[in-house]
Amino acid sequence: MQGIASILINMHIIPKLKERCVMAKKILVMDDDPTTVDYLVDLFNDNGYETCFAYNAAEGFEALKNEKPDLITLDLDMPKVAGPLFYIRYTKIQEFKDIPVIVISGLHVPHRSIKKVVAALEKPIDREELLAIVRNTIGEGSSD
Amino acid sequence: MDKKILLVDDEEDIRDVLDISLSDLGYKVFTAKNGEEAFQIFRNVNPPIVLTDIRMPIMDGIELLQKIKKENTDTEVIMFTGHGDMDLAIKSLKYEATDFITKPINDEILGFALERAHERISMRQRIREYTENLEEMVREKSARLVEVERLIAVGQVIEGLSSATRNIVEDFEGGITYFNELPCLVSIHNRDLKVVATNQLYKERLGDKIGCNSWDAYKEGAGRSAKCPVGKTFHTGKGQRSKETIQDVNGREVPVIVHTAPIRSGESDVELVLEISADITEMNRLQEELRTTQQRYQQLFDEVPCYISVQDGKLRLVATNRQFKEDFGDEIGSYCYNVYKHRNEPCPDCPVVKTFESGKSQQSETVVTSKTGEQYNVLTWTAPIRKADGEVTQVMEMSTNITQIRRLQDHLSSLGLLIGSISHGIKGIMTGLDGGMYWLDTGIEKGNQERIEKGWDVIKLMVDRLKNMVLNLLYYAKERDLNWERTDVLSLAKDVASTVEPKIKGYSIEFIHDFDRSIGKFEVDTSVVSSALINILENAMDACIEDKSKKSHKIIFSVTQDKDHIVFDIHDNGMGMDRETRENIFTLFFSSKGSKGTGLGLFVSNKIIQEHGGSIRADSTPGQGSHFNIRLPKVLPDILKSKVNKKAQSLTIE
């Protein structure tokens, strides 16, 4: 049995199987502009990530609970509860506090209260730059 | 700069977030969770800037604002308001809040507001320095005035002196030396009308005349005899005063005023005469100087860019400067509060009253009303005027008109908002364009027709938004008159419908028009009203596109009439608006579209309809849809027409 396993490893079959077994990483896209959400969702899907999205903070909390995302892209300028406040609130919750966040916003400077931000991108965003940051943070998307 | 700041909000989260932001900006932040707690802190640390929420338990923001303003009127108080709190925002401005920021609080806008607050503080500082310098200037000028008057008084002093010297000059040989210091020509004469002693200046100017005749110093003429002033004094026994001309050692003629005084040795006989001559040219020069100084002082009083008044203990105007008279009338004797504020009793917290009480200068900012009813923001500074014993008898009040500065500030802040919202809108559009191009690119790559179409539609949408934004900006930027004509209602409605129909159908939204065919004509500026209607229809379209809750959407555009009005109705079953949004949609820079709206569209549409004497009304239920009702008069009111006609006339004349 061991022999077969080693053969499989040598043929790079097991790592691939492993990769397949691990669920694709999921990104929560938060923005109040539907076009932007649509765009980012397609972009991430095309690159092998699963996605969920939210147009406001209330939907954002729902998505955190139900979808358990691995990464959040957050617009800072959403109505009702602004981005920074959403961040402050969800990082107070033990279960979610370590989810990395990428700020994508029309504002020049990310809010300093968002301490553990992975990166802050200003709109309009550089697509390749965004994908590179996502890859560095949660790894490659799955190949299919 | 004092970087202390007090932050008041009942929500802990908001305090946390803002505390971090403000600390990053270099502020020492004090926080409080209600007005009462805040006011305690305020009294202890006296921060120059206070940020406060309005709706709070125990003591709300408005009450806190009033208390702070009473304690220190210079404090810059910035209020946080919800979108629906327009009334509270206006109320807080009435109580002299510096600014208000709508929630949720955007860092950039907060930054602008703080910058403005600092500008106000430093401006106030500068104006204060300026008025204080002015005070210094007035003080200097008046000191000089006093000095000149003192010199003028010398003439009179000499007169008194001559009689007082009788006693001193008992021993004339020794006494005369007292006169060496005087800026006058002093001599003593005996009964034989000979000069017996002179002071140093006399010797220098006229030469050694001891032993000469009393009249030798005078120019040829009637005075050069026993009838000279000294002779007359011996004759009458009384002091004389006359104008004479004397000749100095160089033969130059010098006009002088001559005073003489008899000096009696015993009971009756005049033994000697003291003669004092003062150089008139010098006196004239001094008098001239006094006149110009007085003139300059008056000029300063009149020309300083302030309203200056001097008031007595009953707050009556004793003196006012030209600026004051120009804007408030020549009201000497009237009560200050009557003239400045059109009140019948003294104002609370009157700085003049405080100055009378404390004897100290006061500063305050207030609004006054001119004789023509215009309101001015003024910065007021007062100074006590004291009698020699220190009692304050009058108070001078100087008020600088800072209305222009205030207006400019308001204009600048709305400009700041405009630029902020536009740059934000453009960023949103650029992101949308990126998305469109991505779908187009990847669609072509993968041969996916659906994606290509989706990409192309998004690009069209974004280009449209960009176009509208630019058109609205152009409209906002320029004042224009109505260019009206009698127009067929039906053809206008059809034109509008055909402009938006392809777009609306492009999103698979049903578009229904329902026009009254017998509707006739109305007076309207066709191009602007069309663009207003298109704007509202496109909003309806956006509301449908963005609504994810329904399978199918439709927009109904109808035109009807009543007696005097043409009525346009636009119904959609899109996402709808909540109350807050509905109440604010016509406000400048309000946008519910997040990064996509400029907050200009409906503001401009509303302005257009109102310029026609019409009205616009919006009803909506969130999740159900919206209804806009636009009423335009069939015949334009004359006042709106005449404005245009006047313009047309002036053009023909030119």
Side-chain angles (χ1 to χ4, degrees), chain B residues 196-212:
Chain B
V196 293
T198 61
N199 70 347
Q200 192 56 37
L201 192 65
Y202 190 107
K203 267 187 207 125
E204 281 166 18
R205 298 282 297 270
L206 306 179
D208 188 359
K209 294 273 188 203
I210 293 177
C212 294

Side-chain angles (χ1 to χ4, degrees), chain B residues 267-280:
Chain B
E267 290 295 302
S268 58
D269 285 352
V270 177
E271 192 181 325
L272 296 165
V273 167
L274 173 75
E275 186 191 67
I276 300 174
S277 303
D279 189 337
I280 290 182

Side-chain angles (χ1 to χ4, degrees), chain B residues 594-609:
Chain B
S595 52
K596 294 177 327 207
T598 56
L600 277 168
L602 280 173
F603 169 79
V604 170
S605 299
N606 189 33
K607 192 174 151 199
I608 289 170
I609 302 301

Side-chain angles (χ1 to χ4, degrees), chain A residues 31-36 38-39 42-43 46-47 55 77-80 82 84-85 88-89 92 106-108 111-113 115 122-125 127, chain B residues 11 13-14 16-17 20-21 24 104 106-108 424 427-428 430-432 434-435 438-439 442 446 451 454 458 462 546 548 578 593-596:
Chain A
D31 200 302
D32 63 315
D33 178 13
T35 310
T36 306
D38 206 0
Y39 166 38
D42 274 5
L43 178 67
D46 288 352
N47 286 278
Y55 294 119
D77 199 44
M78 290 183 299
K80 310 278 183 215
L85 219 48
I88 291 261
R89 284 181 183 166
K92 278 184 181 169
L107 302 168
H108 301 295
H111 196 281
R112 295 288 188 79
S113 62
K115 296 177 194 93
E122 202 180 314
K123 284 179 186 174
I125 38 175
R127 198 187 299 159
Chain B
E11 275 186 71
D13 289 339
I14 292 178
D16 285 352
V17 176
I20 295 165
S21 292
D24 277 345
N106 170 319
D107 256 15
E108 220 168 0
H424 204 196
K427 281 173 186 167
M430 287 198 292
T431 309
D434 272 354
Y438 176 72
W439 284 312
T442 51
K446 296 178 181 177
R451 269 207 177 195
K454 181 172 168 185
V458 167
M462 293 302 149
E546 255 138 73
K548 313 282 182 209
D578 56 21
K593 298 185 187 172
S595 52
K596 294 177 327 207

Side-chain angles (χ1 to χ4, degrees), chain B residues 491-535:
Chain B
S491 67
L492 180 139
K494 279 182 176 163
D495 282 349
V496 168
S498 65
T499 309
V500 291
E501 189 153 14
K503 269 190 246 178
I504 292 176
K505 291 203 163 151
Y507 285 98
S508 316
I509 298 164
E510 195 182 350
F511 185 53
I512 301 163
H513 17 113
D514 178 15
F515 301 151
D516 178 348
R517 309 240 147 233
S518 64
I519 202 158
K521 294 188 171 192
F522 72 147
E523 292 175 348
V524 66
D525 184 337
T526 316
S527 70
V528 294
V529 165
S530 301
S531 75
L533 291 170
I534 290 169
N535 177 261

